[in-house]
Structure formats: structure tokens, C-alpha cells
Amino acid sequence: MNDVVIAPSILAADCGRLNEEIAEVAKETSYLHIDVMDGHYVPNLTFGVPIVESIRKSTNMVFDVHLMVTNPLDFFKPFADAGADMLTFHVETVDDPDEAITAIRKLGKRAGISIHPDTPIEKVLPYVTKCDLVLVMSVRPGFGGQHFMEESLERIAAVRKVIDENNADTVISVDGGICIETAPRVVNAGASYLVAGSAVFSNNDHVKAIKELRSCVML
Ligand code: DX5
Ligand code: ZN
């Protein structure tokens, strides 16, 4: 398994030095995870469109925008215009996930669907083969630095089963509590895209932290 992606989550970065933090992780990975929170879907506020627009000017990294907002459809175009490459919405926040996936694709962006740990995994399964990425949340969304929820492993496996049965190439992403102990387990369960906030940014040597995560999942 050499093709596991590590996507550092800037929620855990030193935002006063955001461009420097991004330049540092860019030495070791091409993907950057950006958490957008609205204070409604989750009890926290984070980055908006102007921040994405601004950091876009200084990096070519792939921007993976995770929308934790109650009205994601209103924000697909603004974030796409600001420089997002991948747009992920939560299945709980839309009436019609197919409509949301189509809207993202029309903007020429990769479409992701995410699911809250409290939502039955069955809710996302009909859409697994229709999108580019399924983001299985392994903590309750809203904050970094939480403990990985063990039950996520069987949820990842359930999504993996649908992908394999349909010969699809959808990527499974996992977000929350990823560290060198949990990373190999989520990869064994079927994930190949690991979002990591505190595991990368709380280590002063971000490059080394990414390398460690990558090497612990090389089977
Ligand atoms: C939580 C966010 C995560 C967060 C993960 O709602 O979606 O992306 O940054 O942080 P860690 O890796 O510290 O659990
Ligand atoms: Zn996230």
C-alpha cells in the first residue's frame, strides 16, 4: 500500500503563520485538508472563502475542502472559485445528495460525501459509487485533537465492500484521531486517504510526522 494519501488538516496549524505552515507540509504531500465550519452544523467556526482564496495564491497543493455547514449547496461555487479542487459535503445537510454531487461535478471539481459518526452508515451507501471520495468521520465533527472512534473501522469496511462489489474507484477518506496507532488500522479496513490535523501540526517537524504516518501504513 504505497498509494495512501496523507492530507494535513490546517485546523491544527498555527494560523498566524499559515502560508509557512502550508509550505512546510507541501514538502511531503500534495493534499491539504481545509475544514469549513459554520457554527450551526457543528459548534465551531473556522475558515471561509477569503482564507481559501488567499492561501491559493501561494501553493499548488490540492485543496480538499470539507464543508461542515448546514447549506453546502450555497457554498460550492464560492469555494470552487476561491480555488478548491475537491468539495465534500455532509450527507446529513442536503435533501438530495445526487443533486449535490451533480452540482460539484458541474463546477469541474471532485465530489466528496461525508458522514457523521452518529448517522447510520447505510445512509451514505447508495452514493458511494457516484462520488470521487467518501469521508468517514471518525470523531464528532467540530474540533481537532479528539480520540478516534473505534466503531469507525466497521463503517469504513462497509463502504469498502460497496466499492469492491461495484469495481468502483471511489476513495475512502478518514478524518479524526488519525495517528501512527490508528492509521494502519483504518488502511486495513479499506481507507486510502488519511486526514491528519494534530498528528502533523503538533509535531514541530511536520515533514517527519507525515513521513511517519506514511511509513506506518506501508504494509
Ligand atoms: C474535525 C475536522 C478534522 C480535524 C481532525 O471536525 O473535520 O479535519 O482537523 O483533527 P485531528 O486529526 O486532530 O483529529
Ligand atoms: Zn475535516
Side-chain angles (χ1 to χ4, degrees), residues 5-181:
V5 167
I6 309 295
S9 169
I10 57 167
L11 184 61
D14 176 354
C15 291
R17 303 171 42 252
L18 198 48
N19 278 335
E20 288 164 56
E21 293 274 75
I22 293 169
E24 194 58 26
V25 296
K27 292 177 184 166
E28 194 52 37
T29 181
S30 312
Y31 289 80
L32 194 70
H33 185 85
I34 302 168
D35 286 311
V36 176
M37 303 187 186
D38 67 349
H40 293 279
Y41 178 62
V42 289
N44 200 1
L45 291 168
T46 53
F47 312 104
V49 172
I51 302 276
V52 174
E53 210 168 44
S54 157
I55 59 176
R56 180 76 285 173
K57 292 178 190 145
S58 60
T59 181
N60 292 322
M61 290 183 89
V62 178
F63 281 0
D64 156 23
V65 174
H66 178 190
L67 295 166
M68 286 163 275
V69 303
T70 54
N71 50 343
L73 277 100
D74 293 348
F75 291 102
F76 292 157
K77 188 165 182 346
F79 279 107
D81 290 347
D85 299 290
M86 303 159 69
L87 291 163
T88 297
F89 65 90
H90 270 256
V91 67
E92 302 84 7
T93 60
V94 297
D95 293 326
D96 182 356
D98 284 320
E99 179 194 11
I101 293 165
T102 304
I104 296 170
R105 291 258 168 74
K106 272 195 187 149
L107 293 165
K109 305 300 171 187
R110 280 185 257 171
I113 188 165
S114 183
I115 184 157
H116 190 288
D118 293 341
T119 303
I121 197 71
E122 289 70 29
K123 186 128 194 248
V124 83
L125 298 182
Y127 309 102
V128 164
T129 61
K130 298 176 178 177
C131 47
D132 300 288
L133 177 134
V134 176
L135 193 170
V136 178
M137 287 300 303
S138 42
V139 295
R140 293 206 167 78
F143 300 92
Q146 303 182 70
H147 283 296
F148 178 80
M149 296 170 77
E150 289 294 319
E151 51 271 43
S152 312
L153 295 171
E154 59 194 41
R155 292 162 64 82
I156 295 163
V159 176
R160 181 82 252 162
K161 188 162 174 270
V162 173
I163 294 172
D164 291 346
E165 281 171 359
N166 290 280
N167 248 329
D169 53 12
T170 313
V171 167
I172 301 179
S173 167
V174 188
D175 186 6
I178 295 299
C179 60
I180 52 172
E181 283 80 32

Side-chain angles (χ1 to χ4, degrees), residues 9 12-14 21 145 196-206 209:
S9 169
D14 176 354
E21 293 274 75
S198 36
V200 170
F201 288 104
S202 65
N203 186 326
N204 284 338
D205 190 339
H206 304 339

